[in-house]
Structure formats: structure tokens, C-alpha cells
């Protein structure tokens, strides 16, 4: 490859090749372009299991992944991503029964 | 072909440590390396990997040994297998760092660009990302239980 990958260049590549709606790229290498952790949200993952999703990504980024030492990807569909975001923002329901607090009313 | 890393039969907690490493001894190809920009899996290497994959119900291709993983991703998978209680007597590990043929060959064999790679009953399960998510969502425990690859309760403390 001509030049080392950056978070920006890798993000552009993923957005375009995987029809992604949301991409997060974190460079874990300290700048040498050898280690990336990514979150990829794409409708192309719909109906595919985890292995097939990763195979799709591996195929689309063959050259790039070969040049990266440490590659990590989380592959979500837009629906799953939205649901996960919702869960992250929701208040903690621990100790409740289906979201209701028991014993507060007669 | 190539020897598996011997599995220690010494109880669950130490199961994924203390395994002596063995050399990958596939025959080398007499083709100059520089001519192989894209390397193709030779029939010999494929046969050797076939045998490796079939050498135990749970087979891990990793960097380093279970005792001393040479990469964080391989270490994570070893830890997961330990947490899952995978029976060490039904587990084999192959160190790809000991043979370049295996290291490149396994990537093509599995059509998977990274190491570690886990096989369960000759079927490719995935690499580190997949195993971490399967560990978290319970799919991995289900897989190992269904195939009865987990150390039985109580058997763990047995000394030999």
C-alpha cells in the first residue's frame, strides 16, 4: 500500500465500500497505522450472522486488513445500533420488575 | 505433518497454561519466496492443516502457546476457553509463529485474514472478535455444552 492508513482514510474506505450508515474508527497504534478498532453499522449486515458479517468486512477490506497488525470490528445493522444506543441511554432498571418498582402502591 | 502443542492434563485452572510447544514440521516448498507475492496454499500444507484441524474437537491456531500467548488477541481467546471450561484433553493449539507456511496457509485455508482462529469439530467458528461476542452472549457456552466439550463438574479437582 502506498501510505499508512489513518483513522480518516480507513473510515472513508469503510463508509464507501460497505454502504455504512455509521462508522467509528479508533487508532490504537499511536499513529503508525497498525492497529484499529472499529464499529461498523451497515444495512448489508441484515440477516447475516456474526461470522458472515465479518467475512463481508474482511472481503471488502482485504488489502487494508492485510496491512494492519491488530484489527477489531464490531458489525451492527442500523436497527441493532439504534437499539444498543437506546439501551445505553436508558436509566438503569435493576431491582425493578419489568421496569416497575414493586411495593410503592397498595 | 505438524505436531500439536501437547495439552496438559492438569486440571481446569492450569489447563491453558503449561502446555509445551511443538514445532510445526510441514515440508517446505522449494519455490523462491520472492516469486510468491500472493501465496497459494500448497496441497501439502492443506493436507497438514486438514490433519491439524481434525486433531482434536477444539483446535486453536494462535500466536505463541497457551502458556505464553504472543499476542493479546490469542491471549484473550485462551482466557475465554479457560473460562468456558473447555476440556483440555480435547483441545489442541498450534503456534503459527513457528512456521511461516502454517501462518500464511491457515489464513487462506479458513479464508480469514487474522490469527487466532478457532475450529470446533472441524468447523471454523471465528477469530477473537467473534469469540468475545459469543462468550458474552452465551452462544459459545451453548456450543461447547451441546458438543459436550466442557470439563464435567467435580472432575476438575481430580489428580492423576
Amino acid at each position: 500500500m502506498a501510505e499508512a492508513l489513518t483513522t480518516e482514510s480507513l473510515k472513508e474506505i469503510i463508509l464507501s465500500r460497505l454502504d455504512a450508515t455509521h462508522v467509528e474508527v479508533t487508532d490504537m497504534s499511536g499513529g503508525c497505522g497498525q492497529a484499529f478498532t472499529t464499529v461498523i453499522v451497515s444495512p448489508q449486515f441484515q440477516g447475516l450472522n456474526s461470522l458472515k458479517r465479518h467475512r463481508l468486512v474482511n472481503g471488502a477490506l482485504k488489502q487494508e486488513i492485510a496491512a494492519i497488525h491488530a484489527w477489531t470490528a464490531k458489525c451492527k445493522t442500523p436497527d441493532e445500533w439504534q437499539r444498543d444506543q437506546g439501551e445505553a441511554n436508558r436509566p438503569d432498571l435493576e431491582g425493578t420488575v419489568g421496569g416497575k418498582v414493586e411495593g410503592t402502591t397498595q | 505433518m505438524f505436531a500439536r502443542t501437547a495439552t496438559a492434563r492438569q486440571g481446569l485452572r492450569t489447563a491453558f497454561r503449561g502446555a509445551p510447544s511443538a514445532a510445526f514440521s510441514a515440508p517446505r516448498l522449494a519455490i523462491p519466496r520472492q516469486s510468491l507475492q500472493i501465496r497459494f496454499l500448497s496441497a501439502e500444507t492443506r493436507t497438514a492443516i486438514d490433519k491439524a484441524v481434525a486433531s482434536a474437537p477444539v483446535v486453536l491456531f494462535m500466536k505463541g502457546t497457551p502458556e505464553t500467548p504472543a499476542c493479546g488477541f490469542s491471549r484473550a481467546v485462551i482466557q475465554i476457553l479457560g473460562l468456558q471450561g473447555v476440556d483440555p484433553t480435547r483441545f489442541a493449539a498450534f503456534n503459527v509463529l513457528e512456521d511461516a507456511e502454517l501462518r500464511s496457509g491457515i489464513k487462506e485455508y479458513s479464508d480469514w485474514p487474522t490469527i487466532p482462529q478457532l475450529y470446533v469439530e472441524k468447523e471454523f467458528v471465528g477469530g477473537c472478535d467473534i469469540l468475545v461476542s459469543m462468550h458474552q452472549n452465551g452462544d459459545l457456552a451453548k456450543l461447547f455444552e451441546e458438543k459436550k466439550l466442557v470439563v464435567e463438574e467435580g472432575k476438575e479437582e481430580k489428580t492423576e
Side-chain angles (χ1 to χ4, degrees):
Chain A
M1 220 165 324
E3 50 194 73
L5 288 164
T6 62
T7 49
E8 289 75 25
S9 64
L10 189 57
K11 186 173 174 174
E12 282 309 312
I13 289 167
I14 296 170
L15 279 168
S16 65
R17 290 194 206 154
L18 284 159
D19 192 20
T21 56
H22 178 80
V23 177
E24 290 174 21
V25 177
T26 313
D27 185 347
M28 313 293 280
S29 72
C32 76
Q34 285 279 298
F36 290 98
T37 294
T38 61
V39 175
I40 304 170
V41 182
S42 166
Q44 290 186 7
F45 297 142
Q46 194 70 47
L48 301 182
N49 67 20
S50 184
L51 184 58
K52 285 182 179 157
R53 290 178 188 192
H54 279 88
R55 285 210 189 278
L56 185 70
V57 173
N58 293 345
L61 303 174
K62 206 170 169 59
Q63 299 282 315
E64 288 73 18
I65 292 174
I68 295 169
H69 170 71
W71 165 257
T72 299
K74 274 203 173 93
C75 308
K76 308 262 186 195
T77 65
D79 286 351
E80 289 165 354
W81 178 246
Q82 206 163 20
R83 190 196 59 208
D84 289 357
Q85 294 309 102
E87 270 170 22
N89 295 329
R90 213 174 292 151
D92 190 0
L93 297 181
E94 199 175 301
T96 67
V97 179
K100 285 180 188 159
V101 181
E102 301 237 305
T104 54
T105 53
Q106 288 300 102
Chain B
M1 281 306 215
F2 39 84
R4 62 191 261 187
T5 295
T7 324
R9 298 169 189 249
Q10 31 176 230
L12 184 67
R13 271 173 205 95
T14 52
F16 292 96
R17 303 191 291 118
S21 135
F24 173 85
S25 57
R28 311 273 179 159
L29 289 178
I31 303 169
R33 299 224 158 190
Q34 57 270 31
S35 72
L36 290 171
Q37 262 299 340
I38 299 163
R39 302 188 61 204
F40 293 101
L41 191 55
S42 72
E44 279 165 307
T45 305
R46 180 174 287 281
T47 307
I49 295 176
D50 277 338
K51 282 188 184 156
V53 163
S55 65
V58 182
V59 175
L60 182 68
F61 296 92
M62 64 181 293
K63 288 183 181 171
T65 62
E67 185 186 28
T68 43
C71 159
F73 296 105
S74 290
R75 181 188 306 278
V77 172
I78 286 294
Q79 281 174 347
I80 286 173
L81 295 178
L83 289 168
Q84 289 286 340
V86 168
D87 186 347
T89 63
R90 312 182 76 185
F91 170 77
F94 292 86
N95 181 4
V96 304
L97 298 181
E98 290 191 346
D99 199 288
E101 206 78 45
L102 175 61
R103 187 176 181 172
S104 64
I106 191 66
K107 292 179 183 175
E108 192 179 330
Y109 183 92
S110 309
D111 186 23
W112 195 258
T114 52
I115 285 154
Q117 299 184 7
L118 188 79
Y119 279 80
V120 173
E121 292 187 347
K122 297 194 255 183
E123 201 172 312
F124 180 65
V125 178
C128 185
D129 287 337
I130 287 179
L131 291 166
V132 167
S133 76
M134 287 178 77
H135 177 63
Q136 287 166 346
N137 69 18
D139 285 351
L140 201 57
K142 211 188 298 171
L143 176 74
F144 288 138
E145 271 163 34
E146 271 171 14
K147 299 193 181 290
K148 305 202 187 309
L149 296 170
V150 178
V151 170
E152 287 169 43
E153 291 288 328
K155 219 176 159 184
E156 188 185 320
E157 302 305 323
K158 194 180 75 175
T159 50
E160 286 179 43

